[in-house]
Amino acid sequence: MTGNKFNGITYFLKGKRSFCALLLAMIFLFTTSIAAYTVEPPTADPSAMTYGGKQDVELQTVAASVYNTTDNIVSNVVYASDFAGGDGSVDNPYQVATAEQLNNVRNHLDKHFIQTADIDLGVEPYNTGAGWEPIGNDLSPFTGTFDGNGKIISKLTIMDTGSYVGLFGFALGSHIKNVKLEDVNVTGDYQVGGLVGDNKDGEITNSYATGAVIGTGGDEVYVGGLVGYNYWGTITRSYATATVTGTNYVGGLVAYNDCGEITNSYATSAIDGDFGVGGLVAYNDCGEITNSY
């Protein structure tokens, strides 16, 4: 009987040889898979960026606003380092103390700003290549307020081949005041000014520009020591002593005053142009100029 039993088992295993091979293969794969996914336990005091253990984390507070668009939600984040303080409101404007913070103004065109320290723009990257990129253009104009607070912005450098060129390229309904621009070197094609290229329905108060402003375009350049094109804008208690150079419509203070108001302002600029040249204003179209020289 014993022999018969072993013979029966042997016969059974021979008949099931392929099944046994498959079973052994499955057992092998199962055990190796477990081994492959075995993770070493965390150490008692691991180094940074490793699994486990206590880590020290430093958090930075940010202020954020979320705007809905037709397609999705876009987050407009203002980091604490973007400005020296403030929240961009009328009562608590963003504080601008460095060249980098002044450059950040372009990212919040409808907000309110106050300059809290002198700013030197004669540093990289603002004095290399094309230099400073004007704040605002005809598609995205500056519509907020900027209070220079009597602080100086020096060595503004722009080598632009487009329109709307100045510290502010295109200002729409804005209020720019108490800005002191010294030793500017501004070059552009059209609507070029030391402070604002195109001032549309905006106010400029207690501000000045010194240095050199150049318009390189063809006809109707509109280059002014302070403002290139003033459309229904108001300029009060401001002046320019910049050297202003261009072809047509070259003005010491403003190139083209289109229904704008200029009051208590002056220019002592040196002017060089071919046509439509004026010591104070190159061309005054339905504008009002009082108490100015």
Side-chain angles (χ1 to χ4, degrees):
M1 293 294 295
T2 301
N4 291 334
K5 288 181 180 180
F6 281 111
N7 291 335
I9 292 173
T10 302
Y11 176 79
F12 174 79
L13 291 176
K14 287 181 179 180
K16 304 297 181 179
R17 181 175 301 171
S18 59
F19 172 77
C20 292
L22 177 62
L23 181 61
L24 290 174
M26 291 177 64
I27 293 173
F28 173 78
L29 290 174
F30 179 72
T31 54
T32 54
S33 296
I34 294 177
Y37 285 96
T38 300
V39 179
E40 292 295 328
T43 59
D45 190 5
S47 58
M49 302 305 293
T50 59
Y51 174 79
K54 180 180 178 181
Q55 302 292 332
D56 293 328
V57 179
E58 181 178 353
L59 301 178
Q60 181 181 19
T61 302
V62 301
S65 301
V66 178
Y67 299 90
N68 288 318
T69 66
T70 55
D71 298 324
N72 52 23
I73 296 179
V74 179
S75 178
N76 182 21
V77 180
V78 182
Y79 290 91
S81 59
D82 283 352
F83 300 103
D87 58 16
S89 64
V90 174
D91 297 328
N92 189 22
Y94 286 130
Q95 297 173 23
V96 178
T98 66
E100 290 78 11
Q101 291 168 1
L102 182 61
N103 188 53
N104 288 333
V105 170
R106 73 183 68 257
N107 300 321
H108 312 280
L109 295 171
D110 61 342
K111 300 303 181 181
H112 306 273
F113 305 87
I114 185 169
Q115 187 176 337
T116 58
D118 292 343
I119 296 175
D120 180 8
L121 292 179
V123 296
E124 293 185 353
Y126 310 115
N127 67 343
T128 60
W132 176 262
E133 179 184 350
I135 298 172
N137 54 47
D138 57 331
L139 299 179
S140 300
F142 176 72
T143 60
T145 64
F146 187 91
D147 184 357
N149 197 29
K151 306 300 181 182
I152 296 172
I153 299 175
S154 60
K155 299 178 182 178
L156 169 67
T157 301
I158 303 176
M159 299 295 173
D160 202 305
T161 57
S163 301
Y164 313 116
V165 180
L167 178 67
F168 293 88
F170 196 105
L172 174 62
S174 63
H175 190 185
I176 299 171
K177 59 184 179 180
N178 306 320
V179 177
K180 296 181 177 182
L181 280 176
E182 297 188 355
D183 196 20
V184 306
N185 183 13
V186 175
T187 299
D189 281 351
Y190 302 96
Q191 279 101 323
V192 184
L195 179 60
V196 181
D198 196 313
N199 179 45
K200 187 174 184 179
D201 198 28
E203 298 180 22
I204 297 175
T205 310
N206 294 331
S207 299
Y208 69 79
T210 72
V213 182
I214 302 172
T216 58
D219 295 338
E220 300 181 353
V221 175
Y222 306 129
V223 53
L226 190 72
V227 176
Y229 199 101
N230 187 46
Y231 181 77
W232 289 93
T234 301
I235 300 174
T236 307
R237 297 189 298 278
S238 299
Y239 69 90
T241 63
T243 299
V244 187
T245 306
T247 52
N248 299 339
Y249 299 108
V250 183
L253 185 74
V254 176
Y256 201 111
N257 186 43
D258 192 351
C259 299
E261 296 183 12
I262 299 174
T263 307
N264 298 327
S265 300
Y266 70 91
T268 60
S269 305
I271 311 299
D272 184 5
D274 298 331
F275 173 78
V277 179
L280 184 72
V281 175
Y283 193 89
N284 184 46
D285 185 5
C286 81
E288 182 177 349
I289 301 174
T290 57
N291 297 328
S292 300
Y293 70 87

